[in-house]
Amino acid sequence: VQLVEFGGGLVQPGGSLRLSCVASGFTFSSYGMSWYRQAPGKERELVAGINSNGAYTNYADSVKGRFTISRDNAKNTVYLQMNSLKVEDTAVYYCNYRRVVDYWGQGTQVTVSS
């Protein structure tokens, strides 16, 4: 299993970023996927999840209405569109696949700062 995230960067408050996670090594279209984040000194937290066909999604209260998770099963890719970014969204963002154990990507840094 390999998960590779990209798309992070430095953005001003109110800005937008789109994260991507390309998956390989398993049947991507059969499993739900999630995005987590971890800010300095804090525990890793769930940001958003999506089921295998994209019909169902869930979000942390802190990002509802601002972030959108989606997936393209033809490209083995899950996305996280982040709008109206806040300073408190600054964190390393991780793609997650869970099947008995958790699989993680290397993470991508998102920094929201003026």
Side-chain angles (χ1 to χ4, degrees), residues 3-112:
L3 303 171
V4 180
E5 304 101 332
F6 53 95
L10 173 64
V11 63
Q12 292 186 340
S16 298
L17 282 174
R18 188 174 85 152
L19 306 183
S20 301
C21 170
V22 181
S24 61
F26 64 103
T27 307
F28 180 78
S29 59
S30 295
Y31 296 95
M33 297 292 296
S34 301
W35 284 97
Y36 283 72
R37 68 185 180 187
Q38 187 166 20
K42 295 187 176 182
E43 292 187 357
R44 194 170 295 189
E45 63 174 356
L46 176 66
V47 175
I50 189 167
N51 76 325
S52 59
N53 66 3
Y56 298 100
T57 59
N58 63 282
Y59 298 92
D61 287 344
S62 59
V63 306
K64 279 181 182 176
R66 300 188 298 121
F67 290 11
T68 302
I69 188 170
S70 62
R71 65 191 295 159
D72 185 338
N73 285 346
K75 296 181 178 180
N76 281 12
T77 302
V78 60
Y79 305 98
L80 186 67
Q81 177 67 45
M82 305 185 295
N83 299 329
S84 302
L85 282 160
K86 304 176 180 180
V87 172
E88 51 265 40
D89 294 319
T90 295
V92 179
Y93 284 70
Y94 297 91
C95 182
N96 171 267
Y97 156 60
R98 178 174 296 165
R99 186 183 181 191
V100 181
V101 298
D102 282 311
Y103 295 90
W104 302 96
Q106 82 287 353
T108 185
Q109 176 71 48
V110 172
T111 302
V112 185

